[in-house]
Amino acid sequence: MEEKEKPRLSRLTAILTQLQSKRIITAKQLAERHNVSTRTVYRDIRTLEKSGIPIVTEEGKGYSIMEGYHLPPVLFSEDEANALITIEQLIIKNKDQSLVENVSSAIEKIKAILRYSQKGNADLLVDRIYFGGNNNEEKTSNNLMRIQSAITKYQVLKIDYISSENKQTIRNIEPFAIYSIHGNFLLIAFCRLRNDFRNFRIDFIKTLVVQNEIFTPHNMTIKEYFEKYVKNQNYP
């Protein structure tokens, strides 16, 4: 069943939040999200502009908030606040230290703007949520955040990698994407040693050094990668 159209004030607030959370978003995406026509979205955008929100329209691309403009922090509903606490407890079980530290730090900042009653509920939930697996909170890698940064900046990485067959190699790779399977993070990258794309388990990377070299972005989507490579798995 399709979601019913939200009241206009609620929709305007939601659109404003989405504009803040993305670098750019299209009228079509907003229309689909709120189950309205693109014409309605155009009217909503004009309303927000008239209220003083500096919305930038990029022809053929979409909308964004003017860089440097900051709005007061949004208030979280009780369910949203509870969801954040649940996510934090789930992430704590992750084996990558850099991810755990950064998510915990981010959620701590979010907790700072919760209402007083929500903070009390958050403290209660922390003691009442339990996820099995990795009960010793073992950390087997500390590279995820640096890899994510390298993906967005198109930086070459030099890695000392130990394969599942315990073979050690030094490689220069062009990071492309990250995905998770069976609790393990895998890095998809173009390997210059093999001259092709390969999967690298992040916890098998012994050392990682970000190089000064910038590579040319690969003209391929993550969907195209899986269609081309995953059916015939290529392992390092």
Side-chain angles (χ1 to χ4, degrees), residues 36-172:
V36 296
S37 67
T38 54
R39 181 175 295 181
T40 297
V41 170
Y42 297 148
R43 288 200 299 266
D44 289 344
I45 292 295
R46 285 197 294 272
T47 299
L48 290 172
E49 288 175 328
K50 289 178 181 178
S51 70
I53 306 299
I55 297 175
V56 178
T57 302
E58 297 187 32
E59 292 297 331
K61 293 184 178 180
Y63 303 106
S64 63
I65 294 285
M66 182 181 293
E67 186 174 1
Y69 181 81
H70 298 288
L71 292 164
V74 297
L75 293 177
F76 291 93
S77 69
E78 182 177 352
D79 286 345
E80 289 170 337
N82 291 345
L84 289 170
I85 303 307
T86 303
I87 289 171
E88 180 184 27
Q89 296 306 303
L90 178 60
I91 292 297
I92 285 173
K93 296 294 185 180
N94 191 271
K95 294 184 178 182
D96 188 89
Q97 183 66 31
S98 65
L99 176 63
V100 173
E101 289 178 352
N102 281 278
V103 168
S104 294
S105 175
I107 291 182
E108 184 176 351
K109 293 175 182 177
I110 292 172
K111 287 179 183 177
I113 63 173
L114 294 178
R115 293 190 293 270
Y116 185 80
S117 61
Q118 290 175 321
K119 291 178 182 179
N121 292 340
D123 291 338
L124 173 64
L125 277 180
V126 167
D127 295 328
R128 302 293 177 88
I129 295 176
Y130 175 82
F131 289 98
N134 195 25
N135 293 329
N136 296 325
E137 296 185 11
E138 177 188 11
K139 306 305 176 203
T140 58
S141 68
N142 193 28
N143 293 318
L144 185 60
M145 295 296 102
R146 284 194 294 165
I147 290 172
Q148 288 181 332
S149 177
I151 288 174
T152 61
K153 296 176 182 177
Y154 306 110
Q155 293 173 304
V156 174
L157 298 176
K158 183 177 182 180
I159 62 172
D160 184 350
Y161 189 77
I162 301 176
S163 71
S164 55
E165 291 82 21
N166 205 32
K167 295 180 180 179
Q168 187 170 354
T169 54
I170 305 294
R171 308 178 185 221
N172 285 313

Side-chain angles (χ1 to χ4, degrees), residues 172-188:
N172 285 313
I173 61 173
E174 300 172 3
F176 174 69
I178 295 169
Y179 71 100
S180 177
I181 185 169
H182 305 311
N184 298 310
F185 281 113
L186 282 83
L187 166 63
I188 302 169

